[in-house]
Amino acid sequence: VDAVVTQLVAVLPEAFPLARVVDLAELVSGGEDPAEALRRLAENAGREVKNWFAERHDSREILEVAALGFLEGTDVRSFETLLGTLQQSAAKRLATSAEQARVVWKDDSLFADRGTRADGNGLIGIREVSSRSGPTKAMVFHDEAYGRFVLEELWRTRSVAFWDAIREWLDGIAAGGVSDRVARGLAHLARTDFDEVVGSYLDPWSWGRVGWSGQVTATYVLWHMCHLRGLAPAALHTAVRWANGRDVDRRTTALLAFAGNLGVCYPTDAANRLWQLTTQSDDLCGGGCIAPRC
């Protein structure tokens, strides 16, 4: 029993819902391998997300789950503020007149009601978390596995205009500061369409389109990709391409990437690239010297 429990703990993601723990325990007690049982539960989560999208939802609900795909764990006030920014981007991209904009973002009252996502139904929930300043409420998916499948369904079903609005919105968030949550969401989106993530976010951010914080956030995306099945080689290829370029900002972003999780996954490649970057440019020498300690 101790060995099985140890194996289960090793494969469980963070914030695994209690209901899923019960389901997992039932599968394992029936003789299922823990990793295989977890895979089956992920498939169940995917079906639940597909079923949710098959139902009729208004624009606000769609934008809420889209926003949470990049903001899971954000406190309620910050989430709602950023959701309002996404509303503005969506209205601008999807509407050509003020009247159509009101259709894009339908609200039955002056202020939106939190009740529909606080009642325990649907994909979204609110969880109390502890912080240094005291307890607070954070926006989460009911199942951590939902986030990946929500982004997958949105990419499958939404228009280019919708994703242009998402890009404008994420540019603004990244320009305002480094966001690990956004990076995690983009890493999951890369599982569905890597070219979209590279072309719309990683490459532009790597050369400083939204400033230094965007470069660091792009680095975080590559780091998260290192921990997702099948994406580590793509992260390595992207960083190598940046390192081989001529743009100093992009080369700096490559240096950051190799100095962290990407370097842990590929230590030999990282050592070689750090040496290349620091010996070819005096501007990068200082960062390269401290990189092995990162």
Side-chain angles (χ1 to χ4, degrees), residues 147-164:
R148 165 196 170 188
F149 296 109
V150 162
L151 293 174
E152 184 177 301
E153 283 298 302
L154 286 170
W155 183 253
R156 186 180 67 83
T157 60
R158 301 295 134 176
S159 67
V160 170
F162 176 90
W163 285 102
D164 284 346

